[in-house]
């Protein structure tokens, strides 16, 4: 059946892409088989899931159809933190070949684990992602996602190598060098966050480099929300096709869903990750096509299976088949979340982390606002903080010291240097209900 599926270029798809085109019936059987295995594995090996399932009176043997998934407990981010670091692992440590962790330099990160088989599945979904963007053996891929505990760098790296492409593991940052490599190494595709690529375009212009004239033809952009306006901007200014890739560390990393050549929704690798859409308020499942919070169940993860993980990402399932021929369903691009997390320069930040950092510094009040802006494609973060009345002196040096102490505390907690503005007591508007902390003025 593989021979029927050719890309726009007439090339045969990579053999690993076969599950993208399975007849629905076969796919659904595979999902059920894998769900049953996953539930058995979680129940047998993870005390947290055993307790949750016992509480709900459901046993692994009770899963007879995919609809029975609704009988299973949901998992939320704090469950990962509460079981820090290894409490949700279903494999003994000797089988765990890799750990990653969520961003944030102090505080408890969320830790995720992979067995050798998990790394193979991750590699497979990344190969399928690249194929979906029209990439193939012979492509030269500049991987500017961060390498390290963040899943972007290594996830894309393994996929690019297994595809048969040449991967340049440049990681993030050092924009001038990125541009030199883009020019000199014959790069045909780049992987990074969309905002970083906007910055690369700006900087190239300043340096007098015309990205439009380079062999670069595709960008695989994700790890943060972006819009059609940004797509148009980068496609026009770099003469490339820009594809949206979605993923999250808890589920595997990048490679949960990706656009195809239609660029109209992201195909979700349903044979490995089972999607549900729920109402973020009530937790009730919503029918296909309705917008709500994406909930994912891993179907093949061994080291850290997650049942009904609440991603907090808002989207909807597109039930209609895609003209590309893939049978795995699509989700709409993710534009917002149901919680207050924001993403700045690829780092996930909760306002509560900023608040915790502020409270460490004497002389501040827990009244603050976070203002996000974008300048030349680079995200900037300003924190406006109220100073206690007795501290609000006009001795400039003391205020300067306070500003530095706050900046250091925030950088220590989230790894990002923010601009700090000290304001007089009672200048930040008090809210009657839920305080609005974050003002996101980054357009696009
Ligand atoms: O950002 C994994 C990744 C790396 C995805 C590289 C794509 C490319 P986390 O750091 O755990 O993992 O952050 C996951 O980022 O829940 C979304 O809120 C957001 N996110 C990721 N991709 C997209 C996207 C990686 N394409 C969180 N559009 C997720 C919108 C995205 N939001």
């Amino acid at each position: 059946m593989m021979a029927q599926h050719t890309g726009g270029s007439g090339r045969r798809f990579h053999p690993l892409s076969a599950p993208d085109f399975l007849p629905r019936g076969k796919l659904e059987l595979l999902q059920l088989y894998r769900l049953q295995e996953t539930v058995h594995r979680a129940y047998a090996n993870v005390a947290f899931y055993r307790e949750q399932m016992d509480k709900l009176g459901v046993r692994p043997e009770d899963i007879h159809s995919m609809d029975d998934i609704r009988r299973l407990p949901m998992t939320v981010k704090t469950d990962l933190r509460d079981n820090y670091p290894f409490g949700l692992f279903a494999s003994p440590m000797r089988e765990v070949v890799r750990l990653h962790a969520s961003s944030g330099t102090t505080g408890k990160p969320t830790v995720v684990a992979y067995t050798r088989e998990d790394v193979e599945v991750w590699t497979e979904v990344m190969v399928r992602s690249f194929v979906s963007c029209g990439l193939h053996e012979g492509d030269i891929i500049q991987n500017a996602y961060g390498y390290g505990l963040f899943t972007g760098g290594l996830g894309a790296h393994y996929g690019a190598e297994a595809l048969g492409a040449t991967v340049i593991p440049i990681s993030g940052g050092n924009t001038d060098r990125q541009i030199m490599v883009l020019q000199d190494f014959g790069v045909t595709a780049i992987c990074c966050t969309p905002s970083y690529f906007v910055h690369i375009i700006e900087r190239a212009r300043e340096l007098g480099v015309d990205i439009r004239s380079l062999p670069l033809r595709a960008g695989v952009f994700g790890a943060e929300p972006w819009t059609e306006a940004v797509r148009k901007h980068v496609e026009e200014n770099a003469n490339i096709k820009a594809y949206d890739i979605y993923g999250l560390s808890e589920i595997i990393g990048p490679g949960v869903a990706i656009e195809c050549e239609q660029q109209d929704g992201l195909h979700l690798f349903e044979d490995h990750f089972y999607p549900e859409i729920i109402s973020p308020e009530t937790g009730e499942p919503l029918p296909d096509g309705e917008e709500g919070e994406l909930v994912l169940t891993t179907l093949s993860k061994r080291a850290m299976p997650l049942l009904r993980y609440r991603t907090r990402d808002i989207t909807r399932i597109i039930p209609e088949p895609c003209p590309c021929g893939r049978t795995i369903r699509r989700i709409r691009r993710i534009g917002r979340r149901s919680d207050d997390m924001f993403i700045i320069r690829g780092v996930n930040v909760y306002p509560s982390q900023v608040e915790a950092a502020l409270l460490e510094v004497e002389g501040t009040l827990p009244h603050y606002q976070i203002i996000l802006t974008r300048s030349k494609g680079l995200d900037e973060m300003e924190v406006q903080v109220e100073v206690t009345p007795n501290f609000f002196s006009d001795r400039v040096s003391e205020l300067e010291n306070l500003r530095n102490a706050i900046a250091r505390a925030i950088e220590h907690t989230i790894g990002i240097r923010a601009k700090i503005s000290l304001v007089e007591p009672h200048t930040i508007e008090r809210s009657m209900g839920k305080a609005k902390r974050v003002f996101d003025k980054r357009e696009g």
Side-chain angles (χ1 to χ4, degrees), residues 8 10 20 41 130 139 153 155 167 200 207 270 290-291 297 401 419 429 433:
D20 290 359
R41 187 175 179 79
F130 286 134
D139 268 307
V167 56
I200 290 179
L207 295 172
E270 281 187 273
E290 274 187 41
E291 187 178 88
T297 299
N401 288 343
K419 175 179 173 221
E429 200 185 325

Side-chain angles (χ1 to χ4, degrees), residues 145 150 223-225 244-249 313 334 337 343 348:
Y145 284 122
F150 176 56
E224 65 186 9
D244 193 359
I245 183 165
Y246 167 75
L248 59 163
S249 350
D313 291 319
I334 281 132
R337 293 174 53 87
I343 302 174
N348 302 348

Side-chain angles (χ1 to χ4, degrees), residues 238-251:
N239 192 23
I240 60 167
K241 288 262 256 171
Y243 298 95
D244 193 359
I245 183 165
Y246 167 75
L248 59 163
S249 350
E250 296 90 322
I251 296 301

Side-chain angles (χ1 to χ4, degrees), residues 148-220:
L149 288 180
F150 176 56
T151 51
L154 282 173
H157 183 105
Y158 274 52
E161 276 191 359
L163 177 71
T166 305
V167 56
I168 307 170
I170 190 163
S171 197
N174 200 339
T175 310
D176 289 5
R177 189 176 58 173
Q178 301 272 358
I179 293 166
M180 179 191 76
V181 168
L182 270 178
Q183 272 186 300
D184 296 349
F185 290 13
V187 171
T188 56
I190 185 161
C191 304
C192 60
T193 59
S195 58
Y196 189 52
F197 193 65
V198 170
H199 179 63
I200 290 179
I201 292 176
E202 294 262 352
R203 182 66 189 147
R205 189 168 295 149
E206 282 172 12
L207 295 172
V209 175
D210 180 14
I211 296 194
R212 295 180 53 89
S213 64
L214 302 178
L216 188 69
R217 62 168 215 283
V220 186

Side-chain angles (χ1 to χ4, degrees), residues 227-291:
T227 58
E228 281 307 310
V230 170
R231 180 178 351 242
K232 192 159 174 284
H233 174 80
V234 303
E235 289 196 337
E236 284 176 6
N237 286 281
N239 192 23
I240 60 167
K241 288 262 256 171
Y243 298 95
D244 193 359
I245 183 165
Y246 167 75
L248 59 163
S249 350
E250 296 90 322
I251 296 301
I252 204 152
V256 172
I258 182 88
E259 286 180 335
C260 63
E261 79 267 5
Q262 302 286 325
Q263 297 176 301
D264 184 21
L266 293 81
H267 289 279
L268 198 138
F269 295 115
E270 281 187 273
D271 49 324
H272 293 300
F273 320 113
Y274 186 79
E276 295 172 86
I277 301 287
I278 63 162
S279 152
E281 287 84 34
T282 65
E284 280 306 304
L286 297 173
D288 271 12
E290 274 187 41
E291 187 178 88

